[in-house]
Amino acid sequence: MSAHFVETEIISQPDCWRRAAALAPDSLPAAGERVAVIGCGTSWFVAQSYAQLREAAGQGETDAFAASEFPFSRRYDRVVAITRSGTTTEVLDLLDRLHGSTPTLALIGDPETPIVGKADQLVVLDFADERSVVQTRFATSVLALLRANLGEDLGRAIADAELAVVEPLPEELVAAEQFTFLGRGWTNGLALEAGLKMREAAGAWTESYPAMEYRHGPISITGPNRVAWMFGTAPEGLPEQIAATGGIFRSGDRDPMAELVTVQRLAVAIALGQGLDPDQPRHLTRSVVLRGVDQ
Ligand code: F1P
């Protein structure tokens, strides 16, 4: 039995993905709908990955926004909100503003929260809800559900994650002082989430970029004892350019969502190594609930 909630939640991801991928809610956007996906923090990054995947699958124009940055001048057939807690102020406020003008769907972890009644439709992933402040399995389970419902077979992702939850973490990664996460297409959202996870759980110095942007400046950060970590296939020449900086390059042919599981475990390992409690991350709460004065 793991000592921390977050560790228990991380290792349960293969099972959660299996359950999520088996769901087929008829409330998900239909092909051809023009969709905006919104959320905050981790949920915003999941929104970005889904938007890329849905549009790449030919299902229709799909944008992703932080809930606080929604462009009210644009028209959408549907707004899809992602929120584990169901209490995030910016998400609830946005759903209130859209009520009666744009149909909304919310993907949530907890059905006993104020979001019920604010969204027109709900998909509840209560089996993936978490006690931890930092999100791991809710975010990836939402993405598993969405990927499966876009027609993907998640068998390989789940098998890769079974490995990712047990394999030893490379010592050079645990000891590294800086991490730059790189993505392409739908994995840009994962790269952003990987960076956030390391900051939230371990207070680590991380950056995240689209892989082709990395050579336009961010590569100057990489060097000995610093990591450039690609989610998916690296652009040609990039591994060699990273090697020339003396930095550590990590990629692989695993499913990128399973790579994210490795980052989550690494974040916990680094936090514990520094005497931090990954269940009590600094300056964070499980969700951001703003009173009028904060807004
Ligand atoms: C969103 C979120 C988390 C973040 C922090 C505050 O929550 O931004 O991603 O780690 O704890 O809340 P939610 O709307 O998905 O519940």
Side-chain angles (χ1 to χ4, degrees):
M1 185 73 183
S2 299
H4 296 90
F5 300 134
V6 68
E7 291 176 294
T8 312
E9 290 158 0
I10 287 171
I11 63 175
S12 72
Q13 284 175 107
D15 285 339
C16 287
W17 297 0
R18 223 171 266 119
R19 285 184 73 170
L23 299 176
D26 52 18
S27 50
L28 292 178
E33 282 188 52
R34 187 157 188 273
V35 172
V37 196
I38 64 100
C40 295
T42 294
S43 294
W44 174 36
F45 300 145
V46 174
Q48 292 182 35
S49 286
Y50 172 49
Q52 287 276 348
L53 284 167
R54 183 173 182 271
E55 199 158 310
Q59 295 276 305
E61 276 184 21
T62 315
D63 295 319
F65 301 105
S68 55
E69 299 292 335
F70 186 78
F72 288 95
S73 57
R74 298 195 197 170
R75 289 280 150 252
Y76 291 97
D77 298 320
R78 198 102 71 99
V79 169
V80 176
I82 301 173
T83 172
R84 176 183 68 174
S85 64
T87 57
T88 298
T89 299
E90 296 94 316
V91 174
L92 297 179
D93 285 354
L94 178 56
L95 291 175
D96 279 342
R97 280 193 69 177
L98 293 172
H99 188 71
S101 65
T102 308
T104 57
L105 163 70
L107 301 167
I108 63 170
D110 184 351
E112 312 276 312
T113 54
I115 196 151
V116 178
K118 289 190 184 281
D120 298 322
Q121 292 176 296
L122 295 173
V123 173
V124 181
L125 289 89
D126 47 0
F127 59 86
D129 198 6
E130 296 161 295
R131 292 184 68 170
S132 296
V133 171
V134 296
Q135 289 198 33
T136 57
R137 73 179 182 193
F138 176 75
T140 58
S141 297
V142 168
L143 205 46
L145 179 150
L146 294 168
R147 290 175 71 184
N149 281 272
L150 288 171
E152 260 193 79
D153 178 355
L154 285 201
R156 198 192 124 221
I158 293 167
D160 287 351
E162 302 271 15
L163 267 180
V165 295
V166 293
E167 70 188 354
L169 295 167
E171 199 39 53
E172 64 174 0
L173 297 182
V174 180
E177 68 162 351
Q178 191 276 338
F179 297 83
T180 301
F181 296 104
L182 305 173
R184 283 186 119 171
W186 76 280
T187 70
N188 278 313
L190 299 185
L192 288 163
E193 168 57 8
L196 182 68
K197 209 74 319 167
M198 297 279 286
R199 291 193 293 276
E200 286 185 324
W205 172 20
T206 65
E207 310 200 2
S208 303
Y209 303 96
M212 292 299 285
E213 279 299 304
Y214 173 68
R215 288 181 274 221
H216 294 269
I219 192 169
S220 56
I221 292 298
T222 306
N225 202 29
R226 296 179 179 185
V227 179
W229 191 321
M230 179 74 212
F231 285 83
T233 308
E236 208 181 314
L238 201 63
E240 295 76 12
Q241 286 158 337
I242 290 164
T245 70
I248 301 158
F249 176 62
R250 161 131 182 168
S251 72
D253 48 17
R254 291 232 175 121
D255 185 273
M257 231 160 62
E259 276 292 279
L260 179 60
V261 173
T262 300
V263 176
Q264 295 165 346
R265 288 186 57 221
L266 187 63
V268 171
I270 292 174
L272 293 173
Q274 292 175 354
L276 298 171
D277 179 353
D279 281 341
Q280 312 268 327
R282 283 180 301 184
H283 319 309
L284 296 178
T285 48
R286 192 169 181 277
S287 76
V288 175
V289 179
L290 303 172
R291 297 171 306 278
V293 72
D294 305 312
Q295 295 182 56

